Amino acid sequence: MKWGKRLGAAVVGMAAVLGVVTAPAQAVTAAAAPDISLANVKAHLSALQTIANQNGGNRASGRPGYPASVSYVAQKLRDAGYNVTLQSCTSCAGSNQNIIAEWPQGDANQVIMLGAHLDSVSAGPGINDNGSGSASILEVALTLARENPTMAKRVRFGWWADEESGLRGSKFYVNSLPQTERTKIKTYLNFDMIGSDNWGYFVYDDVASVKAVFDEYFRTIGIQTEGDTEGDGRSDHASFKSAGIPVGGLATGAGYTKSAAQQQKWGGTAGRAFDSCYHRACDTLSNIPDTPLEKNGDAIAYAVWKLAVGASTGPDFSIGLSPASGTVQAGQSATVTVNTTTTSGAAQAVSLSASGLPAGATATFNPASVQSGGSSTLTIATSASTPNGTSTITVTGDGTSVDRTAQYTLTVGDVSVRTFTNGTDYALNDYATVNSPITSSATGTATSPVKVSITGTHTCSEDLRISLKAPDGSTYSVKATGSLPCTDLGTKTYSVPVTNEAASGTWTLVLYDAYAQDTGTLDSWTITV
């Protein structure tokens, strides 16, 4: 990187309960992005390290290690079926070459382009800066060729010469494009240093819609991101941005220092640079950890499949969780039903796993593997030491052809939960009183008010009185504001302040029609407590 209505059997709950929302299956595009092989990315990095070792310890533009790096990458792409062009950059040190590789499918008038600089500084082999970006997009390109999905747009890759001397390779490429060709590039994505040893997860924030694609992926694996400020204008995306092309990309940090807040978010060491070997001889294979390399590689594939790949024609499945959220006290367990659905092609074996668990919690699946279309029960067991707070747990289905994920929100803390199920259907006549038993099941300390909602129609009533009797015999009045009209009642909501009612038992809802002047009937009521 260059730095310079009825009373029947409705289940209801208290205001303190988190709402249950059906979790959508992960939606990348109609075709799911594949996993990018970490082993293959590391093999490319090993090859770049060997090239540096054999050529004076670096791969700098204008030095022998750079054209050797070009030969390695270009041959891999040709073997995979790419149209490869080696563009001589006459303004670059040593007149070195850019590599331009295009997958020959998709709409050629709509190009998604990915790029990374291939050169290192002269001080070292540049395995993070920028072997990490170069190797990752190489493996994404090779994976695209192997998968050979239906393409909606054209995908083009670039490996740039002489970035370290002032973005020279990418500037040369952009300046060489006629305006008609520039307008075909709908998005340029840049990847410069994505395997830092004290990493963060930074997403270029130049274009909100492009940033949202990467943020969408990282949300599915429970990782928070930040906008990238360290690399603003200082890597190859600046060449494209200055030409009016929308840009985005990823980074894990260079010479800036990790803050305490970033340590809390991502781990690592606060007060240290994101890359302790930035622009140094120690930027070798031992300087690059697996975790950021793997997650960023998959994020790149996610973006390519999201932005350029068409509808899936192969086997696919989705995952849904029921419920999608829950609250427990430390030491308790939450149970979730994991449903899988075959969405295209034949059913496939799906192995289930969970990540993002809070400290002291464990996750087990019964069964641990299903055929798509089947279900499993996930049990999330917390321990007495599990801290209070909310965690986003990612459930991953590892299929034979694709992976899918869904998220479960677990809150550990004081549980104020009461559910109510009311009993028999009733009609309320004039001058009559109706008592409806309501079964209450409670855990924890309920401190929020019970809310009573009455919906229904009646012929005429000047005063409908409502009260709620708790299991201990306490009576709570539920009063309307003003008299109720002699027309469609619609929906009225009343609140009963319950502060210390935690016990399970039978509650009683009382409806009393006090002053009606006719013989009409109040019916078709829905009571929600």
Side-chain angles (χ1 to χ4, degrees):
M1 177 178 283
K2 164 72 175 171
W3 295 109
K5 299 180 186 179
R6 296 169 67 88
L7 290 180
V11 178
V12 292
M14 288 192 62
V17 182
L18 287 174
V20 176
V21 180
T22 301
Q26 176 187 351
V28 181
T29 59
D35 284 334
I36 297 303
S37 169
L38 175 64
N40 289 355
V41 174
K42 293 173 71 173
H44 301 319
L45 291 174
S46 180
L48 295 177
Q49 177 74 65
T50 298
I51 288 170
N53 293 345
Q54 295 172 345
N55 291 277
N58 66 71
R59 299 179 301 100
S61 193
R63 306 286 184 91
Y66 183 79
S69 300
V70 169
S71 295
Y72 173 82
V73 172
Q75 191 59 51
K76 292 286 185 182
L77 294 163
R78 292 191 186 101
D79 291 345
Y82 278 83
N83 296 328
V84 178
T85 300
L86 300 184
Q87 180 191 46
S88 294
C89 173
T90 57
S91 59
C92 294
S95 297
N96 282 146
Q97 295 171 314
N98 294 322
I99 306 171
I100 309 300
E102 189 162 300
W103 186 241
Q105 293 185 30
D107 185 351
N109 292 314
Q110 299 187 76
V111 176
I112 304 299
M113 189 167 189
L114 293 79
H117 74 86
L118 186 57
D119 64 319
S120 73
V121 293
S122 58
I127 298 305
N128 185 34
D129 184 15
N130 182 37
S132 60
S134 294
S136 294
I137 67 168
L138 173 59
E139 188 55 32
V140 168
L142 299 181
T143 302
L144 182 68
R146 287 192 297 269
E147 294 284 324
N148 194 22
T150 301
M151 303 301 297
K153 298 177 183 177
R154 189 66 57 98
V155 177
R156 185 182 301 163
F157 296 85
W159 285 263
W160 310 120
D162 210 5
E163 186 265 1
E164 297 290 0
S165 297
L167 320 182
R168 292 180 180 179
S170 58
K171 286 180 181 177
F172 183 86
Y173 172 76
V174 173
N175 291 339
S176 71
L177 290 174
Q179 184 59 34
T180 54
E181 292 301 313
R182 290 185 188 180
T183 59
K184 292 178 182 179
I185 303 175
K186 304 306 178 184
T187 307
Y188 172 76
L189 304 176
N190 194 62
F191 305 98
D192 191 351
M193 300 181 68
I194 57 173
S196 306
D197 63 342
N198 191 32
W199 66 90
Y201 291 97
F202 298 102
V203 181
Y204 294 6
D205 54 6
D206 301 82
V207 180
S209 60
V210 179
K211 181 177 185 294
V213 173
F214 290 111
D215 285 342
E216 182 179 73
Y217 170 75
F218 283 109
R219 271 197 307 274
T220 71
I221 58 173
I223 289 178
Q224 300 178 66
T225 65
E226 290 185 8
D228 181 46
T229 57
E230 186 177 9
D232 279 350
R234 302 163 98 173
S235 190
D236 293 296
H237 61 294
S239 303
F240 290 81
K241 184 177 179 179
S242 64
I245 297 169
V247 299
L250 301 174
T252 51
Y256 278 20
T257 300
K258 177 175 280 189
S259 69
Q262 290 168 330
Q263 179 190 40
Q264 182 70 22
K265 184 185 300 183
W266 297 318
T269 305
R272 254 190 59 201
F274 288 100
D275 182 358
S276 57
C277 287
Y278 173 56
H279 280 188
R280 297 172 59 194
C282 59
D283 186 9
T284 64
L285 283 175
S286 61
N287 183 49
I288 194 161
D290 288 352
T291 299
L293 198 63
E294 179 176 26
K295 296 188 185 306
N296 281 292
D298 288 341
I300 297 169
Y302 185 100
V304 171
W305 261 251
K306 177 88 173 180
L307 296 173
V309 175
S312 174
T313 57
D316 202 353
F317 68 97
S318 63
I319 290 181
L321 305 180
S322 181
S325 62
T327 303
V328 298
Q329 291 175 312
Q332 294 180 337
S333 297
T335 302
V336 186
T337 300
V338 182
N339 297 306
T340 64
T341 303
T342 301
T343 56
S344 68
Q348 58 187 290
V350 178
S351 298
L352 298 168
S353 61
S355 59
L357 294 163
T362 59
T364 56
F365 293 87
N366 185 21
S369 180
V370 298
Q371 283 292 110
S372 57
S375 298
S376 178
T377 299
L378 165 62
T379 301
I380 302 170
T382 65
S383 66
S385 63
T386 300
N388 288 349
T390 299
S391 302
T392 299
I393 297 170
T394 299
V395 175
T396 299
D398 185 0
T400 54
S401 59
V402 294
D403 292 350
R404 289 299 199 183
T405 63
Q407 281 68 53
Y408 179 81
T409 301
L410 176 69
T411 299
V412 179
D414 180 47
V415 184
S416 297
V417 177
R418 182 182 290 112
T419 60
F420 298 84
T421 303
N422 55 304
T424 308
D425 292 355
Y426 290 98
L428 176 60
N429 296 315
D430 291 344
Y431 298 97
T433 299
V434 166
N435 292 277
S436 173
I438 302 173
T439 301
S440 166
S441 174
T443 60
T445 303
T447 58
S448 296
V450 173
K451 291 184 178 179
V452 182
S453 178
I454 310 295
T455 304
T457 60
H458 64 93
T459 302
C460 186
S461 178
E462 295 301 329
D463 192 357
L464 176 64
R465 297 183 181 180
I466 309 165
S467 64
L468 191 65
K469 289 185 178 180
D472 65 358
S474 302
T475 300
Y476 300 92
S477 295
V478 184
K479 294 182 179 180
T481 302
S483 61
L484 300 176
C486 295
T487 57
D488 185 357
L489 181 63
T491 300
K492 299 290 181 180
T493 301
Y494 314 95
S495 183
V496 181
V498 179
T499 56
N500 294 305
E501 290 291 347
S504 300
T506 299
W507 291 60
T508 304
L509 182 69
V510 181
L511 301 179
Y512 176 46
D513 185 8
Y515 301 114
Q517 300 300 313
D518 62 7
T519 58
T521 299
L522 294 168
D523 56 11
S524 299
W525 294 95
T526 297
I527 309 299
T528 303
V529 182

